[in-house]
PDB file of all heavy atoms in Angstrom:
ATOM      1  N   ALA H   1    -131.341 106.594  74.479  1.00 98.00           N
ATOM      2  CA  ALA H   1    -131.821 106.913  75.886  1.00 98.00           C
ATOM      3  C   ALA H   1    -131.652 105.726  76.741  1.00 98.00           C
ATOM      4  O   ALA H   1    -132.015 104.471  76.425  1.00 98.00           O
ATOM      5  CB  ALA H   1    -133.261 107.437  75.865  1.00 98.00           C
ATOM      6  N   GLY H   2    -131.263 105.884  78.005  1.00 98.00           N
ATOM      7  CA  GLY H   2    -131.161 104.859  79.001  1.00 98.00           C
ATOM      8  C   GLY H   2    -132.387 104.939  79.867  1.00 98.00           C
ATOM      9  O   GLY H   2    -133.276 105.819  79.708  1.00 98.00           O
ATOM     10  N   PRO H   3    -132.529 104.138  80.937  1.00 98.00           N
ATOM     11  CA  PRO H   3    -133.642 104.192  81.804  1.00 98.00           C
ATOM     12  C   PRO H   3    -133.644 105.455  82.676  1.00 98.00           C
ATOM     13  O   PRO H   3    -132.594 105.967  83.010  1.00 98.00           O
ATOM     14  CB  PRO H   3    -133.451 102.913  82.684  1.00 98.00           C
ATOM     15  CG  PRO H   3    -131.932 102.742  82.757  1.00 98.00           C
ATOM     16  CD  PRO H   3    -131.470 103.057  81.312  1.00 98.00           C
ATOM     17  N   SER H   4    -134.860 105.807  83.018  1.00 97.00           N
ATOM     18  CA  SER H   4    -134.937 107.089  83.813  1.00 97.00           C
ATOM     19  C   SER H   4    -134.506 106.732  85.267  1.00 97.00           C
ATOM     20  O   SER H   4    -134.760 105.577  85.866  1.00 97.00           O
ATOM     21  CB  SER H   4    -136.350 107.538  83.886  1.00 97.00           C
ATOM     22  OG  SER H   4    -136.861 108.039  82.571  1.00 97.00           O
ATOM     23  N   ILE H   5    -134.060 107.496  86.038  1.00 98.00           N
ATOM     24  CA  ILE H   5    -133.491 107.436  87.450  1.00 98.00           C
ATOM     25  C   ILE H   5    -134.771 107.334  88.232  1.00 98.00           C
ATOM     26  O   ILE H   5    -135.592 108.140  88.155  1.00 98.00           O
ATOM     27  CB  ILE H   5    -132.603 108.495  87.811  1.00 98.00           C
ATOM     28  CG1 ILE H   5    -131.369 108.461  86.898  1.00 98.00           C
ATOM     29  CG2 ILE H   5    -132.286 108.412  89.310  1.00 98.00           C
ATOM     30  CD1 ILE H   5    -130.407 109.575  87.134  1.00 98.00           C
ATOM     31  N   PRO H   6    -134.820 106.467  89.200  1.00 97.00           N
ATOM     32  CA  PRO H   6    -136.015 106.315  90.223  1.00 97.00           C
ATOM     33  C   PRO H   6    -136.368 107.676  90.865  1.00 97.00           C
ATOM     34  O   PRO H   6    -135.553 108.450  91.250  1.00 97.00           O
ATOM     35  CB  PRO H   6    -135.592 105.153  91.086  1.00 97.00           C
ATOM     36  CG  PRO H   6    -134.552 104.474  90.373  1.00 97.00           C
ATOM     37  CD  PRO H   6    -133.927 105.387  89.624  1.00 97.00           C
ATOM     38  N   PHE H   7    -137.720 107.849  91.064  1.00 97.00           N
ATOM     39  CA  PHE H   7    -138.356 108.867  91.729  1.00 97.00           C
ATOM     40  C   PHE H   7    -137.708 110.255  91.361  1.00 97.00           C
ATOM     41  O   PHE H   7    -137.655 111.173  92.216  1.00 97.00           O
ATOM     42  CB  PHE H   7    -137.954 108.642  93.208  1.00 97.00           C
ATOM     43  CG  PHE H   7    -138.423 107.296  93.756  1.00 97.00           C
ATOM     44  CD1 PHE H   7    -137.486 106.412  94.169  1.00 97.00           C
ATOM     45  CD2 PHE H   7    -139.783 106.965  93.890  1.00 97.00           C
ATOM     46  CE1 PHE H   7    -137.809 105.130  94.617  1.00 97.00           C
ATOM     47  CE2 PHE H   7    -140.172 105.663  94.324  1.00 97.00           C
ATOM     48  CZ  PHE H   7    -139.240 104.818  94.644  1.00 97.00           C
ATOM     49  N   SER H   8    -137.519 110.386  90.097  1.00 96.00           N
ATOM     50  CA  SER H   8    -137.091 111.706  89.478  1.00 96.00           C
ATOM     51  C   SER H   8    -135.861 112.283  90.069  1.00 96.00           C
ATOM     52  O   SER H   8    -135.691 113.456  90.403  1.00 96.00           O
ATOM     53  CB  SER H   8    -138.210 112.776  89.737  1.00 96.00           C
ATOM     54  OG  SER H   8    -139.319 112.402  88.887  1.00 96.00           O
ATOM     55  N   GLN H   9    -134.854 111.372  90.654  1.00 97.00           N
ATOM     56  CA  GLN H   9    -133.682 111.760  91.177  1.00 97.00           C
ATOM     57  C   GLN H   9    -132.626 112.030  90.096  1.00 97.00           C
ATOM     58  O   GLN H   9    -132.864 111.799  88.971  1.00 97.00           O
ATOM     59  CB  GLN H   9    -133.161 110.706  92.255  1.00 97.00           C
ATOM     60  CG  GLN H   9    -134.118 110.488  93.471  1.00 97.00           C
ATOM     61  CD  GLN H   9    -133.541 109.437  94.250  1.00 97.00           C
ATOM     62  OE1 GLN H   9    -132.915 109.704  95.315  1.00 97.00           O
ATOM     63  NE2 GLN H   9    -133.767 108.131  93.885  1.00 97.00           N
ATOM     64  N   GLY H  10    -131.492 112.617  90.569  1.00 97.00           N
ATOM     65  CA  GLY H  10    -130.348 112.832  89.651  1.00 97.00           C
ATOM     66  C   GLY H  10    -129.098 112.653  90.444  1.00 97.00           C
ATOM     67  O   GLY H  10    -128.985 112.237  91.593  1.00 97.00           O
ATOM     68  N   ALA H  11    -128.070 112.967  89.667  1.00 97.00           N
ATOM     69  CA  ALA H  11    -126.664 112.828  90.162  1.00 97.00           C
ATOM     70  C   ALA H  11    -125.807 114.046  89.976  1.00 97.00           C
ATOM     71  O   ALA H  11    -124.836 114.051  89.160  1.00 97.00           O
ATOM     72  CB  ALA H  11    -125.920 111.636  89.638  1.00 97.00           C
ATOM     73  N   PRO H  12    -126.186 115.239  90.686  1.00 96.00           N
ATOM     74  CA  PRO H  12    -125.396 116.419  90.499  1.00 96.00           C
ATOM     75  C   PRO H  12    -124.081 116.380  91.201  1.00 96.00           C
ATOM     76  O   PRO H  12    -123.992 116.469  92.325  1.00 96.00           O
ATOM     77  CB  PRO H  12    -126.378 117.561  91.033  1.00 96.00           C
ATOM     78  CG  PRO H  12    -127.116 116.801  92.066  1.00 96.00           C
ATOM     79  CD  PRO H  12    -127.330 115.400  91.552  1.00 96.00           C
ATOM     80  N   ASP H  13    -123.010 115.962  90.485  1.00 94.00           N
ATOM     81  CA  ASP H  13    -121.641 115.811  91.113  1.00 94.00           C
ATOM     82  C   ASP H  13    -121.874 114.601  92.179  1.00 94.00           C
ATOM     83  O   ASP H  13    -121.907 114.965  93.320  1.00 94.00           O
ATOM     84  CB  ASP H  13    -121.022 117.062  91.749  1.00 94.00           C
ATOM     85  CG  ASP H  13    -120.302 117.886  90.764  1.00 94.00           C
ATOM     86  OD1 ASP H  13    -119.963 117.270  89.605  1.00 94.00           O
ATOM     87  OD2 ASP H  13    -119.888 118.962  91.021  1.00 94.00           O
ATOM     88  N   ALA H  14    -121.762 113.408  91.657  1.00 96.00           N
ATOM     89  CA  ALA H  14    -122.113 112.363  92.589  1.00 96.00           C
ATOM     90  C   ALA H  14    -121.114 111.195  92.330  1.00 96.00           C
ATOM     91  O   ALA H  14    -120.871 110.869  91.125  1.00 96.00           O
ATOM     92  CB  ALA H  14    -123.540 111.852  92.458  1.00 96.00           C
ATOM     93  N   ALA H  15    -120.629 110.599  93.480  1.00 97.00           N
ATOM     94  CA  ALA H  15    -119.700 109.392  93.308  1.00 97.00           C
ATOM     95  C   ALA H  15    -120.485 108.161  92.859  1.00 97.00           C
ATOM     96  O   ALA H  15    -121.635 108.002  93.031  1.00 97.00           O
ATOM     97  CB  ALA H  15    -118.979 109.154  94.574  1.00 97.00           C
ATOM     98  N   ALA H  16    -119.725 107.424  91.949  1.00 98.00           N
ATOM     99  CA  ALA H  16    -120.273 106.035  91.527  1.00 98.00           C
ATOM    100  C   ALA H  16    -119.019 105.239  91.287  1.00 98.00           C
ATOM    101  O   ALA H  16    -117.905 105.757  91.075  1.00 98.00           O
ATOM    102  CB  ALA H  16    -121.109 106.350  90.296  1.00 98.00           C
ATOM    103  N   ALA H  17    -119.263 103.898  91.250  1.00 98.00           N
ATOM    104  CA  ALA H  17    -118.176 102.927  90.954  1.00 98.00           C
ATOM    105  C   ALA H  17    -118.659 101.671  90.244  1.00 98.00           C
ATOM    106  O   ALA H  17    -119.764 101.276  90.610  1.00 98.00           O
ATOM    107  CB  ALA H  17    -117.421 102.530  92.314  1.00 98.00           C
ATOM    108  N   MET H  18    -117.894 101.105  89.351  1.00 97.00           N
ATOM    109  CA  MET H  18    -118.318  99.787  88.743  1.00 97.00           C
ATOM    110  C   MET H  18    -117.863  98.586  89.683  1.00 97.00           C
ATOM    111  O   MET H  18    -116.563  98.534  90.070  1.00 97.00           O
ATOM    112  CB  MET H  18    -117.738  99.591  87.451  1.00 97.00           C
ATOM    113  CG  MET H  18    -118.020  98.344  86.721  1.00 97.00           C
ATOM    114  SD  MET H  18    -117.491  98.037  85.144  1.00 97.00           S
ATOM    115  CE  MET H  18    -118.691  98.983  84.174  1.00 97.00           C
ATOM    116  N   LEU H  19    -118.801  97.753  89.967  1.00 96.00           N
ATOM    117  CA  LEU H  19    -118.373  96.548  90.760  1.00 96.00           C
ATOM    118  C   LEU H  19    -117.900  95.509  89.889  1.00 96.00           C
ATOM    119  O   LEU H  19    -118.115  95.499  88.568  1.00 96.00           O
ATOM    120  CB  LEU H  19    -119.699  96.077  91.523  1.00 96.00           C
ATOM    121  CG  LEU H  19    -120.273  97.149  92.498  1.00 96.00           C
ATOM    122  CD1 LEU H  19    -121.566  96.666  93.029  1.00 96.00           C
ATOM    123  CD2 LEU H  19    -119.378  97.660  93.486  1.00 96.00           C
ATOM    124  N   PRO H  20    -117.079  94.451  90.384  1.00 93.00           N
ATOM    125  CA  PRO H  20    -116.608  93.433  89.505  1.00 93.00           C
ATOM    126  C   PRO H  20    -117.645  92.632  88.881  1.00 93.00           C
ATOM    127  O   PRO H  20    -117.415  91.995  87.808  1.00 93.00           O
ATOM    128  CB  PRO H  20    -115.878  92.504  90.665  1.00 93.00           C
ATOM    129  CG  PRO H  20    -115.442  93.565  91.707  1.00 93.00           C
ATOM    130  CD  PRO H  20    -116.553  94.435  91.809  1.00 93.00           C
ATOM    131  N   ASN H  21    -118.861  92.709  89.361  1.00 94.00           N
ATOM    132  CA  ASN H  21    -120.006  91.958  88.784  1.00 94.00           C
ATOM    133  C   ASN H  21    -120.693  92.777  87.578  1.00 94.00           C
ATOM    134  O   ASN H  21    -121.638  92.366  87.053  1.00 94.00           O
ATOM    135  CB  ASN H  21    -121.134  91.496  89.766  1.00 94.00           C
ATOM    136  CG  ASN H  21    -121.783  92.756  90.419  1.00 94.00           C
ATOM    137  OD1 ASN H  21    -121.598  93.845  90.000  1.00 94.00           O
ATOM    138  ND2 ASN H  21    -122.290  92.453  91.711  1.00 94.00           N
ATOM    139  N   GLY H  22    -120.197  94.083  87.388  1.00 95.00           N
ATOM    140  CA  GLY H  22    -120.641  94.668  86.208  1.00 95.00           C
ATOM    141  C   GLY H  22    -121.690  95.874  86.638  1.00 95.00           C
ATOM    142  O   GLY H  22    -122.068  96.673  85.830  1.00 95.00           O
ATOM    143  N   HIS H  23    -122.268  95.617  87.951  1.00 97.00           N
ATOM    144  CA  HIS H  23    -123.234  96.605  88.327  1.00 97.00           C
ATOM    145  C   HIS H  23    -122.388  97.990  88.705  1.00 97.00           C
ATOM    146  O   HIS H  23    -121.369  97.926  88.874  1.00 97.00           O
ATOM    147  CB  HIS H  23    -123.929  96.094  89.603  1.00 97.00           C
ATOM    148  CG  HIS H  23    -124.807  94.873  89.365  1.00 97.00           C
ATOM    149  ND1 HIS H  23    -125.552  94.386  90.377  1.00 97.00           N
ATOM    150  CD2 HIS H  23    -124.987  94.151  88.165  1.00 97.00           C
ATOM    151  CE1 HIS H  23    -126.265  93.360  89.863  1.00 97.00           C
ATOM    152  NE2 HIS H  23    -125.858  93.258  88.636  1.00 97.00           N
ATOM    153  N   ILE H  24    -123.269  98.963  88.697  1.00 98.00           N
ATOM    154  CA  ILE H  24    -122.754 100.229  89.088  1.00 98.00           C
ATOM    155  C   ILE H  24    -123.348 100.689  90.394  1.00 98.00           C
ATOM    156  O   ILE H  24    -124.566 100.690  90.594  1.00 98.00           O
ATOM    157  CB  ILE H  24    -123.103 101.449  88.019  1.00 98.00           C
ATOM    158  CG1 ILE H  24    -122.829 100.995  86.606  1.00 98.00           C
ATOM    159  CG2 ILE H  24    -122.683 102.794  88.357  1.00 98.00           C
ATOM    160  CD1 ILE H  24    -121.221 100.890  86.460  1.00 98.00           C
ATOM    161  N   LEU H  25    -122.490 101.011  91.414  1.00 98.00           N
ATOM    162  CA  LEU H  25    -122.803 101.390  92.727  1.00 98.00           C
ATOM    163  C   LEU H  25    -122.829 102.952  92.523  1.00 98.00           C
ATOM    164  O   LEU H  25    -121.850 103.554  92.217  1.00 98.00           O
ATOM    165  CB  LEU H  25    -121.744 100.898  93.699  1.00 98.00           C
ATOM    166  CG  LEU H  25    -122.038 101.543  95.173  1.00 98.00           C
ATOM    167  CD1 LEU H  25    -123.385 100.970  95.780  1.00 98.00           C
ATOM    168  CD2 LEU H  25    -120.921 101.162  96.072  1.00 98.00           C
ATOM    169  N   LEU H  26    -124.085 103.622  92.931  1.00 98.00           N
ATOM    170  CA  LEU H  26    -124.133 105.054  92.685  1.00 98.00           C
ATOM    171  C   LEU H  26    -124.856 105.717  93.836  1.00 98.00           C
ATOM    172  O   LEU H  26    -125.664 105.206  94.563  1.00 98.00           O
ATOM    173  CB  LEU H  26    -124.711 105.360  91.370  1.00 98.00           C
ATOM    174  CG  LEU H  26    -126.248 104.976  91.078  1.00 98.00           C
ATOM    175  CD1 LEU H  26    -126.814 105.920  89.947  1.00 98.00           C
ATOM    176  CD2 LEU H  26    -126.337 103.545  90.841  1.00 98.00           C
ATOM    177  N   THR H  27    -124.663 107.032  93.888  1.00 98.00           N
ATOM    178  CA  THR H  27    -125.254 107.903  94.876  1.00 98.00           C
ATOM    179  C   THR H  27    -126.149 108.872  94.138  1.00 98.00           C
ATOM    180  O   THR H  27    -125.876 109.360  92.975  1.00 98.00           O
ATOM    181  CB  THR H  27    -124.324 108.688  95.785  1.00 98.00           C
ATOM    182  OG1 THR H  27    -123.418 109.442  94.759  1.00 98.00           O
ATOM    183  CG2 THR H  27    -123.489 107.795  96.522  1.00 98.00           C
ATOM    184  N   LEU H  28    -127.438 109.141  94.515  1.00 98.00           N
ATOM    185  CA  LEU H  28    -128.415 109.897  93.975  1.00 98.00           C
ATOM    186  C   LEU H  28    -128.980 110.948  95.073  1.00 98.00           C
ATOM    187  O   LEU H  28    -128.844 110.690  96.272  1.00 98.00           O
ATOM    188  CB  LEU H  28    -129.554 109.124  93.426  1.00 98.00           C
ATOM    189  CG  LEU H  28    -129.196 108.124  92.279  1.00 98.00           C
ATOM    190  CD1 LEU H  28    -130.379 107.218  91.875  1.00 98.00           C
ATOM    191  CD2 LEU H  28    -128.685 108.926  91.046  1.00 98.00           C
ATOM    192  N   SER H  29    -129.636 111.958  94.418  1.00 98.00           N
ATOM    193  CA  SER H  29    -130.316 112.863  95.319  1.00 98.00           C
ATOM    194  C   SER H  29    -131.492 113.469  94.516  1.00 98.00           C
ATOM    195  O   SER H  29    -131.685 113.273  93.349  1.00 98.00           O
ATOM    196  CB  SER H  29    -129.395 114.083  95.694  1.00 98.00           C
ATOM    197  OG  SER H  29    -129.168 114.963  94.579  1.00 98.00           O
ATOM    198  N   PRO H  30    -132.362 114.219  95.209  1.00 97.00           N
ATOM    199  CA  PRO H  30    -133.397 115.009  94.413  1.00 97.00           C
ATOM    200  C   PRO H  30    -132.709 115.908  93.308  1.00 97.00           C
ATOM    201  O   PRO H  30    -131.528 116.359  93.484  1.00 97.00           O
ATOM    202  CB  PRO H  30    -134.154 115.806  95.373  1.00 97.00           C
ATOM    203  CG  PRO H  30    -133.835 115.161  96.655  1.00 97.00           C
ATOM    204  CD  PRO H  30    -132.575 114.381  96.589  1.00 97.00           C
ATOM    205  N   THR H  31    -133.418 116.111  92.269  1.00 97.00           N
ATOM    206  CA  THR H  31    -132.879 116.922  91.335  1.00 97.00           C
ATOM    207  C   THR H  31    -132.717 118.324  91.652  1.00 97.00           C
ATOM    208  O   THR H  31    -133.509 118.907  92.490  1.00 97.00           O
ATOM    209  CB  THR H  31    -133.744 116.806  89.948  1.00 97.00           C
ATOM    210  OG1 THR H  31    -134.998 117.138  90.326  1.00 97.00           O
ATOM    211  CG2 THR H  31    -133.541 115.512  89.239  1.00 97.00           C
ATOM    212  N   PRO H  32    -131.632 119.040  91.134  1.00 97.00           N
ATOM    213  CA  PRO H  32    -131.427 120.479  91.524  1.00 97.00           C
ATOM    214  C   PRO H  32    -132.585 121.449  91.205  1.00 97.00           C
ATOM    215  O   PRO H  32    -133.380 121.194  90.276  1.00 97.00           O
ATOM    216  CB  PRO H  32    -130.181 120.850  90.803  1.00 97.00           C
ATOM    217  CG  PRO H  32    -129.510 119.567  90.440  1.00 97.00           C
ATOM    218  CD  PRO H  32    -130.640 118.552  90.195  1.00 97.00           C
ATOM    219  N   THR H  33    -132.690 122.450  91.902  1.00 96.00           N
ATOM    220  CA  THR H  33    -133.676 123.474  91.638  1.00 96.00           C
ATOM    221  C   THR H  33    -132.870 124.803  91.560  1.00 96.00           C
ATOM    222  O   THR H  33    -131.745 124.956  92.072  1.00 96.00           O
ATOM    223  CB  THR H  33    -134.800 123.571  92.685  1.00 96.00           C
ATOM    224  OG1 THR H  33    -134.214 123.950  93.904  1.00 96.00           O
ATOM    225  CG2 THR H  33    -135.454 122.209  92.831  1.00 96.00           C
ATOM    226  N   SER H  34    -133.500 125.876  91.311  1.00 96.00           N
ATOM    227  CA  SER H  34    -132.838 127.158  91.341  1.00 96.00           C
ATOM    228  C   SER H  34    -132.427 127.700  92.727  1.00 96.00           C
ATOM    229  O   SER H  34    -131.616 128.388  92.871  1.00 96.00           O
ATOM    230  CB  SER H  34    -133.734 128.319  90.544  1.00 96.00           C
ATOM    231  OG  SER H  34    -135.050 128.381  91.252  1.00 96.00           O
ATOM    232  N   ALA H  35    -133.295 127.181  93.705  1.00 96.00           N
ATOM    233  CA  ALA H  35    -132.964 127.547  95.077  1.00 96.00           C
ATOM    234  C   ALA H  35    -132.064 126.483  95.780  1.00 96.00           C
ATOM    235  O   ALA H  35    -131.383 126.854  96.724  1.00 96.00           O
ATOM    236  CB  ALA H  35    -134.214 127.551  95.852  1.00 96.00           C
ATOM    237  N   ASP H  36    -131.888 125.442  95.193  1.00 96.00           N
ATOM    238  CA  ASP H  36    -130.883 124.323  95.829  1.00 96.00           C
ATOM    239  C   ASP H  36    -130.226 123.467  94.766  1.00 96.00           C
ATOM    240  O   ASP H  36    -130.873 122.606  94.206  1.00 96.00           O
ATOM    241  CB  ASP H  36    -131.819 123.477  96.691  1.00 96.00           C
ATOM    242  CG  ASP H  36    -131.007 122.617  97.662  1.00 96.00           C
ATOM    243  OD1 ASP H  36    -129.736 122.512  97.431  1.00 96.00           O
ATOM    244  OD2 ASP H  36    -131.469 121.891  98.455  1.00 96.00           O
ATOM    245  N   LEU H  37    -129.135 123.907  94.511  1.00 96.00           N
ATOM    246  CA  LEU H  37    -128.194 123.144  93.508  1.00 96.00           C
ATOM    247  C   LEU H  37    -127.767 121.824  93.874  1.00 96.00           C
ATOM    248  O   LEU H  37    -127.564 120.910  92.986  1.00 96.00           O
ATOM    249  CB  LEU H  37    -126.894 124.028  93.065  1.00 96.00           C
ATOM    250  CG  LEU H  37    -127.248 125.459  92.717  1.00 96.00           C
ATOM    251  CD1 LEU H  37    -125.994 126.090  92.261  1.00 96.00           C
ATOM    252  CD2 LEU H  37    -128.204 125.550  91.501  1.00 96.00           C
ATOM    253  N   PHE H  38    -127.611 121.568  95.140  1.00 96.00           N
ATOM    254  CA  PHE H  38    -127.240 120.350  95.613  1.00 96.00           C
ATOM    255  C   PHE H  38    -128.107 119.843  96.860  1.00 96.00           C
ATOM    256  O   PHE H  38    -127.740 119.812  97.839  1.00 96.00           O
ATOM    257  CB  PHE H  38    -125.685 120.341  96.009  1.00 96.00           C
ATOM    258  CG  PHE H  38    -124.764 120.774  94.864  1.00 96.00           C
ATOM    259  CD1 PHE H  38    -124.454 122.025  94.702  1.00 96.00           C
ATOM    260  CD2 PHE H  38    -124.360 119.742  94.133  1.00 96.00           C
ATOM    261  CE1 PHE H  38    -123.592 122.380  93.718  1.00 96.00           C
ATOM    262  CE2 PHE H  38    -123.357 119.991  93.036  1.00 96.00           C
ATOM    263  CZ  PHE H  38    -123.069 121.302  92.934  1.00 96.00           C
ATOM    264  N   PRO H  39    -129.373 119.364  96.438  1.00 97.00           N
ATOM    265  CA  PRO H  39    -130.380 119.106  97.465  1.00 97.00           C
ATOM    266  C   PRO H  39    -129.960 117.781  98.153  1.00 97.00           C
ATOM    267  O   PRO H  39    -129.192 116.908  97.739  1.00 97.00           O
ATOM    268  CB  PRO H  39    -131.558 118.857  96.613  1.00 97.00           C
ATOM    269  CG  PRO H  39    -131.229 118.542  95.301  1.00 97.00           C
ATOM    270  CD  PRO H  39    -129.932 119.303  95.052  1.00 97.00           C
ATOM    271  N   SER H  40    -130.617 117.490  99.342  1.00 97.00           N
ATOM    272  CA  SER H  40    -130.461 116.313 100.075  1.00 97.00           C
ATOM    273  C   SER H  40    -131.972 115.686 100.186  1.00 97.00           C
ATOM    274  O   SER H  40    -132.783 116.246  99.890  1.00 97.00           O
ATOM    275  CB  SER H  40    -129.858 116.546 101.388  1.00 97.00           C
ATOM    276  OG  SER H  40    -130.702 117.430 102.102  1.00 97.00           O
TER     277      SER H  40
END
């Protein structure tokens, strides 16, 4: 298991990239629900 994503967010189809310093630049959103698969 890795670390939990902050504030119970997730990455439902979300862009990310590895930076030359080894960090990951990523986009997150609230986690999906039955009423909203891709929340903002």
Side-chain angles (χ1 to χ4, degrees):
S4 297
I5 297 173
F7 306 112
S8 297
Q9 296 180 99
D13 271 351
M18 178 180 282
L19 305 175
N21 59 17
H23 293 186
I24 306 298
L25 177 67
L26 67 157
T27 54
L28 299 172
S29 74
T31 51
T33 66
S34 58
D36 191 351
L37 301 183
F38 298 93
S40 62

